[in-house]
Structure formats: C-alpha cells, structure tokens
Amino acid sequence: MTAAPRPSNQDQPVHRPDKAGTPVIDDAFMAAVNELSVPEMGTDATAPLLYWLIRTVRPQHVLEVGMGYTTPFLAQALRDNATAVDLERSRLGDPAAAELQPLAHAEYYEQPYRPRLVCIDRMTDPTSSAPRALKVLDDLGLTGVCTVVEGDMTGAGERVQQELGLIDFAWIDTWDTLAFVREYWQLINPAGGMLAVHYLMTYPQGRAILHYLKSLAGPEGGLEITNLREPHRTGQNSTTLIRRIRDYVDPEDLRPQGTANDPTGVLDRFAGGGR
C-alpha cells in the first residue's frame, strides 16, 4: 500500500496555540521530524529536553555541533521564543492581559530578541540523519532560523564567532568534545552561557572530559555542571549541562519585599549571607 503524502506546511499548521497563545510541539511536528530518528543515537528524549531548555532560558545565539534529530527542535524552539516574545511585549501594560502575564519583567522586553542558530556537521557519517535534516527544516519552514556550516568543527571557530559572537547555548553531539572545548570555550558566554554535551558518563574517556571541564572552573568556581543520566541505556545515555558563570551577576530583587512565604523570618537571616 502506498502511504498517503504528508500534508505540507501550507495545508496543515505544524503547531497549535495553547490558551496563552504560545506555540507548542504537536503531532504534526513530531510526524515531520520522525524520519530523522536514529535510535542508536539516543536523542529521542534529549531533543524535547533541548527544546524546553531553550524555551526556558531564551538564548539569542545557539550553536549545534552534530546535526540530526535534534536540529528541528532547536530551530523550532528559537522560532517559538521569538513568537512568544513579540506576543508578551504586546501585552505589557494591558490590564486585560494581567492574568496571562502576571510576573512580567518589563525591562527584559526593552532588548531586541533576534535568535540565530548555527549548525556544524561534516555530513559524512552514513549512520547520521544530518543530511536529511536540511529537508525537514525546509518542510517546517525553519531554514531561515539556521545557518549550516558543512565541514569539520575544528578550525571553524572564527566562522562561528563571525556568525554569532558569544554563544549563549551550545549543543554538542560529537566524539570530539575535548577538541570543541579547547577551541570554543572562550566563545561560550561567561555571563551564563550554557553548553549541553551528549554522552560523557559511564565510560573512561567521557569521565576524563568531565574532570577536564571541572578544572576550567578556576579557584572562584566559574561554572556549574549537572549530569543527567538515562539509567535504562547502556550507551549514549547522558546529557551534561555546563553553565559558565564567571561574569554572571544575579539581578536585583525583582519582586516586592514581603512576598516570600516566610512567616517566621528564617529566610531573612540568610538573605545577606548571615547565619
């Protein structure tokens, strides 16, 4: 039996809006990206995780090394962020929207949000879905979000810097993680830039890279590291999140005093570092 053709973007929207007007991943999107799924790559759960990380922290400049199933999730997250920022900005000061946007930080919206994604891949791995990712991006109308650098990651740092400047979020799915860190570490934004790396746990070389990453923190602890292990996998079984905080400064208190649920005043004792 011949399969029915998949509806095009023009025939069927890829997203449905939720009650707040923010686009969300739906069955049509998943059907479009399903052809990129390679179970041995172990990114079936990681790709949605990356989508929601980007939706949460809202980076402007994103780098992916190793294209494939994750690529449309990264691109769509940036597109959805831009849509959300425009919608939220339009609601500022509107009393009718206060219920939908009760914790809006008005100063955040004074800065433009123009997200960009740069993807690097050799396009030579026969087991990878990277070459097919270009067509899926086109089918989803996401090619305008993504700049593809076809070739080796090593030596492409200057091109990436020209395209992005400092990197706010990087997703690294390559065996050359150490080479990436040595060439690109100074491009990760030291004021909160994030690096997500696939599969550094449960094998000796990966653990060595983790120790090397920890050594980059310096005496003042310039980074945060969290390892997320998928216990049901024997390989390709983890994602490590590294956040550079050397130049990160917490914003001033954004909520009025007295809003914390602290009737006994315990938190006040520690707010200034007291004991």
Coordinates of all heavy atoms in Angstrom, one line a residue, residues 92-136:
L92 N 2.3 44.0 27.4 CA 2.8 44.8 28.5 C 1.9 46.0 28.8 O 1.6 46.8 27.8 CB 4.2 45.3 28.3 CG 5.3 44.2 28.4 CD1 6.7 44.8 28.0 CD2 5.4 43.6 29.7
G93 N 1.5 46.2 30.0 CA 0.7 47.4 30.4 C -0.8 47.2 30.1 O -1.6 48.1 30.3
D94 N -1.2 46.1 29.5 CA -2.6 45.9 29.2 C -3.3 45.2 30.3 O -3.0 44.1 30.7 CB -2.7 45.0 27.9 CG -4.2 44.7 27.5 OD1 -5.1 45.2 28.2 OD2 -4.4 44.1 26.5
P95 N -4.2 45.9 31.0 CA -4.8 45.3 32.2 C -5.5 44.0 31.9 O -5.6 43.1 32.7 CB -5.8 46.4 32.6 CG -5.3 47.7 32.0 CD -4.6 47.3 30.8
A96 N -6.1 43.9 30.7 CA -6.8 42.7 30.3 C -5.8 41.5 30.2 O -6.3 40.3 30.3 CB -7.5 42.9 29.0
A97 N -4.5 41.7 30.1 CA -3.6 40.6 29.9 C -2.9 40.3 31.2 O -2.1 39.4 31.3 CB -2.5 41.0 28.9
A98 N -3.2 41.0 32.3 CA -2.5 40.8 33.6 C -2.6 39.4 34.1 O -1.7 38.8 34.7 CB -3.0 41.8 34.6
E99 N -3.8 38.7 33.8 CA -4.0 37.4 34.3 C -3.1 36.4 33.6 O -2.6 35.4 34.1 CB -5.4 37.0 34.1 CG -5.8 35.6 34.7 CD -7.2 35.3 34.6 OE1 -8.1 36.2 34.6 OE2 -7.6 34.1 34.5
L100 N -2.8 36.7 32.3 CA -1.9 35.8 31.5 C -0.4 36.0 31.7 O 0.4 35.2 31.5 CB -2.2 35.9 30.0 CG -3.6 35.5 29.6 CD1 -3.9 35.9 28.1 CD2 -3.8 34.0 29.8
Q101 N -0.1 37.3 32.1 CA 1.3 37.7 32.2 C 1.5 38.4 33.6 O 2.0 39.5 33.6 CB 1.7 38.6 31.1 CG 3.1 38.7 30.8 CD 3.4 39.5 29.6 OE1 2.5 40.1 29.0 NE2 4.7 39.6 29.1
P102 N 1.2 37.7 34.7 CA 1.3 38.4 36.0 C 2.7 38.7 36.5 O 2.8 39.5 37.4 CB 0.5 37.4 36.9 CG 0.8 36.1 36.3 CD 0.8 36.3 34.8
L103 N 3.7 38.0 36.0 CA 5.0 38.2 36.6 C 6.0 38.7 35.5 O 7.2 38.5 35.5 CB 5.6 36.8 37.1 CG 4.8 36.2 38.2 CD1 5.4 34.8 38.6 CD2 4.7 37.1 39.4
A104 N 5.4 39.5 34.6 CA 6.3 40.1 33.5 C 7.3 41.0 34.1 O 7.1 41.8 34.9 CB 5.4 40.8 32.5
H105 N 8.6 40.9 33.5 CA 9.7 41.7 33.9 C 9.9 42.7 32.7 O 10.5 42.4 31.7 CB 10.9 40.9 34.1 CG 12.2 41.6 34.4 ND1 12.2 42.8 35.2 CD2 13.5 41.4 34.1 CE1 13.4 43.3 35.3 NE2 14.2 42.4 34.6
A106 N 9.3 43.9 32.9 CA 9.2 44.8 31.7 C 10.6 45.1 31.1 O 10.7 45.3 29.9 CB 8.5 46.1 32.2
E107 N 11.6 45.3 31.9 CA 12.9 45.7 31.4 C 13.5 44.6 30.4 O 14.2 44.9 29.5 CB 13.9 45.9 32.5 CG 13.6 47.1 33.4 CD 14.6 47.4 34.4 OE1 15.7 46.7 34.4 OE2 14.4 48.3 35.3
Y108 N 13.1 43.4 30.6 CA 13.6 42.3 29.8 C 13.2 42.6 28.3 O 13.9 42.3 27.4 CB 13.0 41.0 30.2 CG 13.1 39.8 29.2 CD1 14.3 39.1 29.1 CD2 12.1 39.5 28.4 CE1 14.5 38.1 28.2 CE2 12.2 38.4 27.4 CZ 13.4 37.8 27.4 OH 13.6 36.7 26.4
Y109 N 12.0 43.1 28.1 CA 11.5 43.3 26.7 C 12.0 44.6 26.1 O 11.7 44.9 24.9 CB 9.9 43.4 26.8 CG 9.4 42.1 27.3 CD1 9.0 41.9 28.6 CD2 9.2 41.0 26.5 CE1 8.5 40.7 29.1 CE2 8.7 39.8 26.9 CZ 8.4 39.7 28.3 OH 7.9 38.5 28.8
E110 N 12.9 45.3 26.7 CA 13.5 46.5 26.1 C 14.6 46.1 25.1 O 14.9 46.9 24.3 CB 14.0 47.4 27.2 CG 12.9 48.1 28.1 CD 13.5 48.9 29.2 OE1 14.8 49.0 29.3 OE2 12.8 49.4 30.0
Q111 N 15.1 44.9 25.3 CA 16.2 44.5 24.4 C 15.6 43.7 23.3 O 14.6 42.9 23.5 CB 17.2 43.6 25.2 CG 17.8 44.3 26.4 CD 18.6 45.5 25.9 OE1 19.3 45.5 24.9 NE2 18.5 46.6 26.7
P112 N 16.1 43.8 22.0 CA 15.6 43.0 20.9 C 15.9 41.5 21.1 O 16.9 41.2 21.7 CB 16.3 43.6 19.7 CG 17.5 44.2 20.3 CD 17.2 44.7 21.6
Y113 N 15.0 40.7 20.6 CA 15.3 39.3 20.6 C 15.3 38.8 19.1 O 14.3 38.7 18.5 CB 14.2 38.5 21.4 CG 14.4 37.0 21.5 CD1 15.4 36.5 22.3 CD2 13.7 36.1 20.7 CE1 15.7 35.2 22.4 CE2 14.0 34.7 20.8 CZ 15.0 34.3 21.7 OH 15.2 32.9 21.8
R114 N 16.5 38.5 18.7 CA 16.7 38.1 17.3 C 17.6 36.8 17.3 O 18.8 36.8 17.1 CB 17.4 39.1 16.4 CG 16.7 40.5 16.4 CD 17.3 41.4 15.4 NE 16.7 42.7 15.5 CZ 17.1 43.8 16.2 NH1 18.2 43.6 16.9 NH2 16.5 44.9 16.2
P115 N 16.9 35.6 17.6 CA 17.7 34.4 17.8 C 18.3 33.9 16.5 O 17.7 34.0 15.4 CB 16.7 33.4 18.3 CG 15.4 33.9 17.8 CD 15.5 35.4 17.7
R116 N 19.5 33.2 16.6 CA 20.1 32.6 15.5 C 20.7 31.3 15.9 O 21.1 31.1 17.0 CB 21.3 33.5 15.0 CG 20.8 34.9 14.4 CD 22.0 35.5 13.7 NE 22.3 34.7 12.5 CZ 23.4 34.9 11.8 NH1 24.3 35.8 12.1 NH2 23.7 34.1 10.7
L117 N 20.7 30.4 14.9 CA 21.2 29.0 15.1 C 22.3 28.7 14.0 O 22.0 28.9 12.9 CB 20.1 28.0 15.0 CG 20.5 26.5 15.0 CD1 21.1 26.1 16.3 CD2 19.2 25.6 14.7
V118 N 23.5 28.3 14.5 CA 24.5 27.8 13.6 C 24.7 26.3 13.8 O 24.9 25.9 15.0 CB 25.8 28.6 13.7 CG1 26.9 28.0 12.9 CG2 25.6 30.1 13.3
C119 N 24.7 25.5 12.7 CA 24.8 24.1 12.8 C 26.1 23.7 12.1 O 26.2 24.1 10.9 CB 23.6 23.4 12.3 SG 22.1 23.8 13.1
I120 N 26.9 22.9 12.7 CA 28.1 22.4 12.0 C 28.0 20.8 11.9 O 27.7 20.1 12.9 CB 29.4 22.7 12.9 CG1 29.5 24.2 13.1 CG2 30.6 22.2 12.2 CD1 30.7 24.6 14.0
D121 N 28.3 20.3 10.7 CA 28.3 18.9 10.5 C 29.1 18.6 9.3 O 29.1 19.3 8.3 CB 26.9 18.3 10.4 CG 26.8 16.9 10.7 OD1 27.3 16.1 9.8 OD2 26.3 16.5 11.7
R122 N 29.9 17.5 9.4 CA 30.7 17.0 8.2 C 29.8 16.5 7.1 O 30.2 16.4 5.9 CB 31.7 16.0 8.6 CG 32.7 16.4 9.6 CD 33.8 15.3 9.8 NE 34.7 15.5 10.9 CZ 34.6 15.0 12.1 NH1 33.6 14.2 12.4 NH2 35.6 15.3 13.0
M123 N 28.6 16.0 7.5 CA 27.7 15.3 6.5 C 28.3 14.1 5.9 O 28.0 13.7 4.7 CB 27.3 16.3 5.4 CG 26.6 17.6 5.9 SD 25.0 17.3 6.6 CE 24.4 18.9 6.9
T124 N 29.2 13.4 6.6 CA 29.9 12.2 6.0 C 29.5 10.9 6.8 O 29.9 9.9 6.3 CB 31.4 12.4 6.0 OG1 31.8 12.7 7.4 CG2 31.8 13.6 5.1
D125 N 28.9 11.0 7.9 CA 28.6 9.8 8.7 C 27.4 9.1 8.1 O 26.2 9.6 8.1 CB 28.2 10.2 10.2 CG 28.0 9.0 11.1 OD1 27.9 7.9 10.6 OD2 28.0 9.2 12.3
P126 N 27.5 7.9 7.6 CA 26.4 7.2 6.9 C 25.3 6.8 7.9 O 24.2 6.5 7.5 CB 27.1 5.9 6.3 CG 28.3 5.7 7.2 CD 28.8 7.1 7.6
T127 N 25.6 6.8 9.2 CA 24.6 6.4 10.2 C 23.8 7.6 10.7 O 22.8 7.4 11.4 CB 25.2 5.7 11.4 OG1 26.0 6.6 12.1 CG2 26.0 4.5 10.9
S128 N 24.2 8.8 10.3 CA 23.6 10.0 10.8 C 22.4 10.5 9.9 O 22.4 10.2 8.7 CB 24.6 11.1 10.9 OG 24.0 12.4 11.2
S129 N 21.5 11.1 10.5 CA 20.4 11.7 9.7 C 20.6 13.2 9.4 O 19.7 13.9 8.9 CB 19.0 11.6 10.5 OG 19.1 12.3 11.7
A130 N 21.9 13.6 9.6 CA 22.2 15.1 9.3 C 21.8 15.5 7.9 O 21.2 16.6 7.8 CB 23.6 15.3 9.6
P131 N 22.2 14.8 6.8 CA 21.8 15.3 5.5 C 20.3 15.5 5.3 O 19.8 16.4 4.7 CB 22.4 14.3 4.6 CG 23.5 13.7 5.3 CD 23.0 13.6 6.8
R132 N 19.5 14.6 5.9 CA 18.1 14.7 5.8 C 17.5 15.8 6.6 O 16.3 16.3 6.4 CB 17.4 13.4 6.2 CG 17.9 12.2 5.3 CD 17.0 11.0 5.5 NE 16.8 10.5 6.8 CZ 17.6 9.7 7.5 NH1 18.7 9.3 6.9 NH2 17.4 9.3 8.7
A133 N 18.2 16.3 7.6 CA 17.7 17.4 8.5 C 17.5 18.6 7.7 O 16.5 19.4 8.0 CB 18.7 17.6 9.6
L134 N 18.2 18.9 6.6 CA 18.0 20.1 5.8 C 16.7 20.1 5.2 O 16.0 21.1 5.1 CB 19.1 20.2 4.8 CG 20.6 20.2 5.3 CD1 21.6 20.2 4.1 CD2 20.8 21.5 6.1
K135 N 16.2 18.9 4.7 CA 14.9 18.9 4.0 C 13.8 19.1 5.1 O 12.8 19.7 4.8 CB 14.7 17.5 3.3 CG 13.4 17.4 2.7 CD 13.2 16.1 2.0 CE 11.9 16.0 1.2 NZ 10.7 16.2 2.2
V136 N 14.0 18.5 6.2 CA 13.0 18.6 7.3 C 12.8 20.1 7.7 O 11.8 20.6 7.9 CB 13.3 17.7 8.5 CG1 12.3 18.0 9.7 CG2 13.1 16.2 8.1

